[in-house]
Amino acid sequence: MEALYEVVTGQSIMLMGGLLIIGFISTYIMPEKSFQPFHDFFYSKGMLFRGGLCIFLLEMGLVAGERLGDLKKVGVFLVAFGILLPIAHGFLGALLGHMAGLNLGGCTVFAAIVSSASYIAAPPAVRLTLPDANPTLSITASLAITFPFNIAFGIPLYYEMAKMIGATNGTG
């Protein structure tokens, strides 16, 4: 009986239940014109995926937020890990892309992909395979460190790495 209580009152179930209640109430209370953005959100082509992704990311944020204090223990290491490992992987990606015959743009894109964390698939995979692992660390490393680093500095760095190893734009 205690296990059933834990399952029913778990954050994921409570979140989904709350969203169902909000959806039910809003369907009957909101004027149809006000409901249109929500209708478009779930019924437009491709929007159901975005809606599901939003709910998934909200749940992942709740899970990570529970153990946010753990970041103090590994903060500097996590920042270094979230930046240095993608740089090393980006270099390997640029090198392998060049060896495979990709042009400068292809090497850069391949390096960016290889250096990126799996922002969506990895955290739940880690949670399922390693239930005792701290999700705050993997989510923070991928979404709060590696992702912004790659957008702001990584992609230009991978472009320069690809040029350094001899990749060309193919026009020459």
Side-chain angles (χ1 to χ4, degrees), residues 60 78 117 122-124 126-127 134-144:
M60 291 302 292
L78 195 64
V126 169
R127 275 180 60 198
N134 186 342
T136 301
L137 302 180
S138 62
I139 293 169
T140 300
S142 65
L143 293 176

Side-chain angles (χ1 to χ4, degrees), residues 56-73:
F56 165 75
L57 291 174
L58 178 61
E59 197 271 336
M60 291 302 292
L62 290 171
V63 169
E66 287 179 349
R67 297 174 66 179
L68 207 52
D70 294 349
L71 286 177
K72 293 176 186 173
K73 299 175 190 170

